[in-house]
Amino acid sequence: MDFQQQARPEEGIYMEGILYGVGVGAGDPEMLSLKAARILRQADIVCIPRAHKASCRAYQIAVQAVPEIAGKEALCFDFAMTEDNRLLQETHGRFYQTLRPVLAAGKSAAFLTIGDPAIYSTFSCIAALAQADGHSVRTVSGITSFCAAAAACGIDLCSGHEELHIIPGRRKSIQESLRYPGTKVIMKSGRNISTIKEALLQLEQAGSVSVYAVQDCGLPEEKILSGAQAIPDDGYMTTIIVKAAEQVSPPATRP
Amino acid sequence: MDFQQQARPEEGIYMEGILYGVGVGAGDPEMLSLKAARILRQADIVCIPRAHKASCRAYQIAVQAVPEIAGKEALCFDFAMTEDNRLLQETHGRFYQTLRPVLAAGKSAAFLTIGDPAIYSTFSCIAALAQADGHSVRTVSGITSFCAAAAACGIDLCSGHEELHIIPGRRKSIQESLRYPGTKVIMKSGRNISTIKEALLQLEQAGSVSVYAVQDCGLPEEKILSGAQAIPDDGYMTTIIVKAAEQVSPPATRP
């Protein structure tokens, strides 16, 4: 599918806009895909899911890979970090009202997301609104934080018959989820981090798991951590990989 | 981490080689990362996990994104597709014997993998051998088939508190795994495809899941399928996404 086949709108003619969800990967700007870089160069405006460019990690990653986006029109919006579904929907609706005239004018907008737009991203909510409104929506995949974290640790995530489970750390039943066979990845631990850390310490002491964690993956301040005790108490940008003990072979050197 | 900091070996001086595992993504050559493209341009040799370049899907993807690799020395090797662990280890050992002199000469080798090298890839086995032999190993992450498949279907994989489970289709306990909450991705179904299809049809009829599948994701022959009945009987290059019914909102348009 060649995005370039999309004709550009001519002056005065209404054309349907396109909303792109662009995954910028896990932190290293070089992890953007060739397609993500092209779409960012071509897009008319860039949607930034923070109040300011400066505080938006996804933008800071993207602008290093594609400096041209600094000169583009930017739609900054402060998405409330909340667990309240009604409040979330209201916020998404308010953001969409600012995006709507852009798409109605036949422009293309690139909505930046860390990692991949299909995994715990605000993009899918915005995409549903745009689509219900008759606009085209396209997802440009990105490298997930768990793939990048595994690469940083020099380990694999799964092989052969092993399962891989991606678990949001704020899930209440986290202890239950840690019983799944194979590898567990815990993402977005946030306020639940102390419960998770305690559960992992117990599993580690029982000799049943090996714990790896990467904080600020791919960024200059990246930290690679080994063992549950090393997991920082602010879990926001930390990806935790829990391997069943029988899975673990000596890790490869740090990339 | 800048790979370019690695000095090139001078004539006659022994230097340690580097083995890169390079994820080429799910099919669309434009899904390669900027880093994957750079490493492929810089690598001395390219390792191709098939008997010939022509039959290697990972190579066919990579060469479209980085045509320069066609002119590089290629190490083709036919990895036996087997469930026999002893035979697998023997095959990996035999391949490593052909790679060893390359690394010992201080050359860099890029081992191609579809998707991401940390997810069901032969690379991790070869990496362990190279590392045990004293060589540096680095993983260049790729876009996974399940992220690309979700993008093709115009759906997300998980949001909020939902879990995501990656399940190899050849797993005997597949019916059990299909009971996990949240989204299930079934990969590499192969010979088990009829059992999987039957289990999915039952869940579908009970109204508890929505089934999506993508065959040959990202390639010109890509097929996007909806419903378990549409899953082809040869499941090799088919990624199946099973969403719990309560998760499903109207899908976005095809990208």
Side-chain angles (χ1 to χ4, degrees):
Chain A
M1 167 75 211
D2 188 351
F3 289 112
Q4 289 176 309
Q5 287 168 2
Q6 297 297 328
R8 309 292 303 156
E10 282 175 49
E11 209 69 44
I13 299 176
Y14 171 84
M15 246 203 95
E16 194 203 356
I18 303 171
L19 175 61
Y20 295 99
V22 178
V24 301
D28 179 348
E30 241 199 323
M31 285 285 174
L32 256 83
S33 74
L34 301 171
K35 181 171 281 187
R38 176 169 65 76
I39 295 297
L40 288 180
R41 276 193 297 270
Q42 292 178 351
D44 294 309
I45 81 151
V46 182
C47 301
I48 294 171
R50 283 287 180 280
H52 307 282
K53 284 179 180 179
S55 60
C56 180
R57 198 180 278 239
Y59 176 79
Q60 295 303 329
I61 296 166
V63 75
Q64 288 178 71
V66 186
E68 298 96 304
I69 64 167
K72 285 188 197 273
E73 191 185 333
L75 195 55
C76 293
F77 192 86
D78 196 14
F79 285 93
M81 287 289 188
T82 174
E83 304 264 305
D84 181 337
N85 267 333
R86 215 174 49 93
L87 189 60
L88 268 180
Q89 275 180 22
E90 198 187 291
T91 311
H92 297 154
R94 268 194 296 130
F95 168 74
Y96 185 65
Q97 287 313 313
T98 70
L99 175 62
R100 198 179 191 190
V102 173
L103 298 177
K107 289 186 181 171
S108 60
F111 189 103
L112 302 179
T113 73
I114 293 181
D116 178 76
I119 293 183
Y120 305 122
S121 143
T122 304
F123 173 69
S124 56
C125 308
I126 307 305
L129 293 173
Q131 217 218 340
D133 204 20
H135 295 293
S136 294
V137 170
R138 288 169 198 169
T139 300
V140 182
S141 302
I143 285 164
T144 66
S145 64
F146 49 87
C147 288
C153 293
I155 57 172
D156 69 351
L157 287 168
C158 48
S159 65
H161 290 224
E162 288 167 9
E163 294 181 345
L164 169 63
H165 308 275
I166 315 300
I167 303 161
R170 52 194 166 186
R171 201 172 165 86
K172 281 196 188 106
S173 57
I174 187 90
Q175 261 126 333
E176 227 170 273
S177 301
L178 284 170
R179 285 193 210 109
Y180 294 137
T183 305
K184 278 75 66 179
V185 169
I186 310 175
M187 287 174 72
K188 299 184 183 253
S189 305
R191 277 176 299 182
N192 215 7
I193 192 78
S194 59
T195 313
I196 294 166
K197 218 167 145 172
E198 204 177 304
L200 290 177
L201 277 169
Q202 280 182 21
L203 291 170
E204 221 174 34
Q205 276 156 15
S208 57
V209 300
S210 286
V211 177
Y212 305 83
V214 182
Q215 195 178 9
D216 295 316
C217 187
L219 299 177
E221 60 268 34
E222 176 183 273
K223 278 200 194 79
I224 298 178
L225 310 161
S226 184
Q229 193 58 61
I231 296 170
D233 291 327
D234 160 20
Y236 179 56
M237 287 311 286
T238 303
T239 300
I240 302 169
I241 301 173
V242 184
K243 293 205 75 159
E246 68 267 24
Q247 291 180 298
V248 180
S249 53
T253 44
R254 247 243 67 190
Chain B
M1 167 76 211
D2 188 352
F3 289 113
Q4 289 176 310
Q5 287 168 359
Q6 297 296 329
R8 308 294 303 155
E10 283 175 48
E11 208 70 43
I13 298 177
Y14 171 84
M15 246 201 93
E16 193 202 356
I18 303 172
L19 174 62
Y20 294 99
V22 179
V24 302
D28 178 348
E30 241 199 323
M31 285 286 175
L32 256 84
S33 73
L34 301 171
K35 180 172 280 188
R38 175 169 65 76
I39 295 296
L40 288 179
R41 277 194 295 271
Q42 292 177 349
D44 295 308
I45 81 149
V46 182
C47 301
I48 293 170
R50 283 288 179 281
H52 307 281
K53 285 179 179 180
S55 60
C56 180
R57 198 181 279 240
Y59 176 79
Q60 294 303 329
I61 295 167
V63 76
Q64 288 178 72
V66 187
E68 299 96 305
I69 63 168
K72 287 186 195 274
E73 191 185 334
L75 194 57
C76 293
F77 193 87
D78 196 13
F79 285 93
M81 289 291 187
T82 174
E83 304 263 303
D84 181 337
N85 267 332
R86 215 173 50 91
L87 189 60
L88 268 180
Q89 275 179 23
E90 198 187 290
T91 311
H92 297 155
R94 268 193 296 129
F95 168 74
Y96 186 65
Q97 288 313 313
T98 70
L99 176 62
R100 198 179 192 188
V102 173
L103 298 177
K107 289 187 181 171
S108 61
F111 190 103
L112 302 179
T113 73
I114 292 181
D116 178 77
I119 293 183
Y120 305 121
S121 140
T122 302
F123 173 69
S124 56
C125 308
I126 307 304
L129 294 173
Q131 217 217 340
D133 204 20
H135 295 294
S136 294
V137 170
R138 287 168 200 171
T139 300
V140 181
S141 302
I143 285 164
T144 66
S145 64
F146 49 87
C147 289
C153 294
I155 57 172
D156 69 350
L157 287 168
C158 47
S159 66
H161 290 223
E162 288 166 10
E163 294 181 344
L164 169 64
H165 308 275
I166 315 301
I167 302 160
R170 51 194 166 187
R171 201 171 164 87
K172 280 197 188 106
S173 58
I174 188 87
Q175 260 125 334
E176 228 169 90
S177 301
L178 284 170
R179 285 194 210 109
Y180 294 137
T183 305
K184 279 74 69 178
V185 168
I186 310 175
M187 287 174 72
K188 298 184 183 255
S189 305
R191 276 176 298 183
N192 215 6
I193 192 76
S194 60
T195 313
I196 294 166
K197 217 167 146 172
E198 205 177 306
L200 290 177
L201 277 170
Q202 280 182 21
L203 290 170
E204 223 175 32
Q205 277 157 13
S208 57
V209 300
S210 287
V211 177
Y212 305 83
V214 182
Q215 195 179 9
D216 295 315
C217 188
L219 299 177
E221 60 269 34
E222 176 183 271
K223 277 200 195 79
I224 299 177
L225 310 161
S226 183
Q229 194 58 61
I231 296 171
D233 291 328
D234 159 21
Y236 179 57
M237 286 312 287
T238 303
T239 300
I240 303 169
I241 301 174
V242 184
K243 294 206 77 160
E246 70 266 25
Q247 291 181 298
V248 180
S249 54
T253 45
R254 250 240 67 193

